[in-house]
Structure formats: C-alpha cells, structure tokens
Amino acid sequence: MGKITIRDVAREAGVSISTVSNALNDVDVLNPETKSHVLKVAQRLNYVPNLNGKQLKSGKTMMLGFFTTSVAGPYFYKLVESMSRQCDRLGYGLNVFVTKDKRVVMSNILGRRVDGVIIYEELGIDDKDILAMNKEKIKAVFLDRELQNEHMGSIIFDSYEAGYEATKYLIGLGHKKIAYISGVDTMFDSVQRREGYLAALRQYSLPVSEEYILQGYFEEESTYNVVKSFIRAHPGKLPDAFLAGNDLSAIGCIQALKTHGYEVPLDISVVGFDDIDIAQYYSPPLTTVRNQIARQGILAIDHLVRMIQKKEQGNAQKLKGELVVRGSSHVKFDRNDRV
C-alpha cells in the first residue's frame, strides 16, 4: 500500500477533507465527537501529515538551527543540551548543523530550512554574508562575535575581562612569567582571552613574550604535546604559571608538566576557563573561570524566539565569568626554598 493521504483518512472516516484538516490542525470548529473520530482513524491508518505543505502555508517550520564546525567537548555538550531543553519548553525543535563548508551554512540559512539560527563557527561568515542575511530578514543569534541590529543579536562571554582578571589573579600570587595557551586564532573567545591576558601584563609592566603564547587548539592532547615540546626546547625558560584557554587545555598542560617531574601548583600554577564538570574532581582540582554555558544556551534560544515572534529586536549581551579558586594555583616560591 502506498503512502496514506489526507484523502484516504477522509474516505475512511466518512467526512470531508476539510473536516480532517480542521481536526488535525486543532481548528475549533468541530464538535468533540467528530474530532475524536477523525483523529482515531488517522492514528489507525498511521497517517503522517505533509509538513512541507503546512510550512508553505504558514511560512514557519517551528525548527531552529544551530550551526557549528564541531560539537566535541564538554562546552558543546552542555550548550546543546541547554538549547535543546529550552526549545522543548518553547515548542520548537532544534536542528544541529555541523559543517566546515560555509556554502552549506549559508544555503541552509538563506533557504529558510529553519525559522531562526544560532551560529558558532570558524567559517568566516563576513560582512557580505551578514548583509545577505539582513536583506532576507533572517533572525540570528551569534555566540562567537558581538553583533546587534534589528534582526540579529549575540550572547557572548566577557572573555576579555575574564582573561584580564585571571591574569591579574596570577600576578597577585607573585607570578611574573605567565604563559597563555590559546585555542584557535580565529575563535572569538580565544582571541579575547589572549587580549585580556596581554592587557594585564602590560598594566603591571611584566614582559610580553611571543614564546609564552602557545597554541593548544582548546584540546587536551594538542596542549599536552605543545607544552612538552616547549619544555624540551626551553628548559631554562619555564614560566611561573600557565593561563590555559579552556579547562581541557589546562588538564593537558598539567599532564605534560607532571610527565617532566613538575608539581602543580607547588612548582607552577595552572588556571583554565569554563569550569567543566571534571574541573573540581581533577587532581589537583582546577582553578578556573566559571562561564555560564547553560545560561548562554537558554538566553540564545529565548532571544531568537522573541525576535521570530517580533517581540524584540536584536541586542548584544555579555555574560560575566567568575573566578573559582581551587588547588591548581598557589603563591609563587622558588623550588629551592622548599624543604
């Protein structure tokens, strides 16, 4: 038997096609008995409504899209989970698009496969792309840049301030040689944290060295390897402390230091970002900047839906980080001074 159509449901139920349509779309023009009878017949026949037709008629999909180049790691797990739950609360579905092809992203966005989009990407969506989205009145929330106009907003972490405050904290412990482990050079949070780190060093007249800016790509293994390489190449230039771009990098850094016989924090302090679930249970427990990841996801969905519903225009929001001091940081003293 072929695909069941609305005509088949109408014939089996002994009613008109319009009556079936009204019952399925919960239009309040039918008596309860008729509506119940039609729905039972539709269910018995396993009838699946043609959503494309409904979308063409209403102009809505009731789906939101999240575009990213990766969903790996604890940050994305918590972010996607919070967005998905909020979509459920608001009656929307969430499609997650993972691609490194900007053409695929723009095709899906401009093709209106979803009612609105949330974007976290390294694909280089530029001013021309944003103009095209604006022209089509695409509703969008960015998590990787600060942007605000009628149809677009952003929910970002105040990563510059967090990078500055975390570096200032390490300076306050007496550390003067502080290294930064960056993520990807094109990523907003990594760049902002690095700029905050550099600003703190300059304010306290501490040396700024390119050798002390390592690239760990926000990954544990990559950071482990780059720190090990640094230790081997610069045995006499080890920093007093490492500020890692995220907690995975902090963990990779600590592992590399341990491999070479250094103790954290007695020899070297390490600070991360995000406060992922494992941070408090790691050995030593991580000092880190707690970012409001779940709140970022909830606010992004709320803002996007309100723009779709024309209840507000785009705006930019910055979420403050909170420094959580644990066991991976310590007041500086020379190893030779230890008993």
Side-chain angles (χ1 to χ4, degrees):
M1 185 177 181
K3 178 179 172 65
I4 299 295
T5 68
I6 192 171
R7 189 181 300 277
D8 297 325
V9 176
R11 182 169 53 249
E12 183 71 16
V15 297
S16 67
I17 291 175
S18 63
T19 297
V20 176
S21 177
N22 287 336
L24 295 173
N25 289 291
D26 201 23
V27 179
D28 192 20
V29 295
L30 304 177
N31 65 58
E33 292 79 7
T34 301
K35 179 180 177 181
S36 176
H37 170 62
V38 170
L39 292 178
K40 287 178 180 177
V41 170
Q43 183 178 24
R44 176 162 52 82
L45 296 178
N46 294 317
Y47 171 67
V48 179
N50 184 347
L51 294 179
N52 287 333
K54 290 180 70 175
Q55 289 170 200
L56 287 171
K57 185 175 181 180
S58 68
K60 296 188 180 300
T61 67
M62 299 307 293
M63 297 295 297
L64 306 179
F66 175 50
F67 292 84
T68 178
T69 54
S70 172
V71 289
Y75 165 77
F76 283 108
Y77 174 81
K78 184 173 287 189
L79 179 71
V80 173
E81 178 70 13
S82 67
M83 290 195 299
S84 176
R85 288 176 180 270
Q86 192 65 5
C87 281
D88 284 343
R89 293 187 191 103
L90 299 178
Y92 282 81
L94 180 68
N95 279 340
V96 179
F97 298 82
V98 182
T99 178
K100 294 184 178 180
D101 189 336
K102 190 174 82 168
R103 293 172 300 176
V104 172
V105 172
M106 294 308 297
S107 173
N108 277 280
I109 291 175
L110 297 177
R112 296 187 179 277
R113 307 285 168 78
V114 290
D115 294 341
V117 298
I118 296 169
I119 300 174
Y120 188 114
E121 47 76 43
E122 306 161 40
L123 302 171
I125 287 183
D126 53 28
D127 291 343
K128 181 180 178 182
D129 300 319
I130 290 174
L131 281 173
M133 292 167 63
N134 250 328
K135 183 178 179 182
E136 295 298 320
K137 299 181 179 179
I138 303 293
K139 304 300 187 292
V141 175
F142 289 84
L143 306 181
D144 64 342
R145 71 188 70 188
E146 192 169 3
L147 191 148
Q148 177 177 345
N149 60 45
E150 182 180 354
H151 307 294
M152 300 177 186
S154 58
I155 311 291
I156 59 174
F157 300 129
D158 194 347
S159 287
Y160 177 91
E161 183 68 16
Y164 173 86
E165 290 295 334
T167 307
K168 182 179 173 182
Y169 162 73
L170 288 170
I171 294 170
L173 294 179
H175 301 304
K176 298 184 184 301
K177 298 185 294 182
I178 303 169
Y180 175 68
I181 304 173
S182 71
V184 179
D185 287 341
T186 56
M187 292 183 71
F188 176 85
D189 286 315
S190 179
V191 172
Q192 290 293 303
R193 288 166 192 169
R194 184 186 65 205
E195 291 304 309
Y197 151 81
L198 292 172
L201 293 184
R202 294 189 187 103
Q203 179 172 339
Y204 288 89
S205 301
L206 294 178
V208 175
S209 172
E210 284 298 321
E211 288 181 335
Y212 278 175
I213 299 180
L214 312 180
Q215 191 160 39
Y217 299 101
F218 283 162
E219 297 172 354
E220 181 180 343
E221 184 176 357
S222 295
T223 301
Y224 174 82
N225 290 330
V226 76
V227 172
K228 279 180 65 70
S229 297
F230 179 89
I231 293 171
R232 287 194 297 263
H234 307 87
K237 293 186 177 181
L238 204 62
D240 304 328
F242 283 93
L243 176 61
N246 71 353
D247 288 340
L248 290 180
S249 289
I251 290 170
C253 176
I254 292 172
Q255 289 297 106
L257 292 170
K258 286 180 178 178
T259 299
H260 284 270
Y262 294 100
E263 292 186 48
V264 176
L266 297 181
D267 294 324
I268 300 169
S269 290
V270 178
V271 173
F273 282 86
D274 287 339
D275 194 24
I276 61 177
D277 290 342
I278 197 176
Q280 62 182 311
Y281 304 112
Y282 190 69
S283 180
L286 286 181
T287 295
T288 184
V289 175
R290 178 179 293 156
N291 281 320
Q292 303 176 63
I293 300 172
R295 181 166 171 76
Q296 183 186 39
I298 292 169
L299 290 176
I301 295 297
D302 284 347
H303 186 35
L304 182 59
V305 169
R306 291 184 69 81
M307 284 195 290
I308 292 169
Q309 296 173 345
K310 299 181 179 179
K311 293 181 178 178
E312 64 187 28
Q313 295 188 352
N315 61 72
Q317 299 182 57
K318 279 187 180 179
L319 303 179
K320 296 289 185 183
E322 175 191 357
L323 183 66
V324 180
V325 176
R326 297 194 182 104
S328 67
S329 56
H330 193 278
V331 173
K332 181 186 182 304
F333 59 90
D334 291 332
R335 196 174 194 183
N336 293 334
D337 295 336
R338 290 167 54 191
V339 177

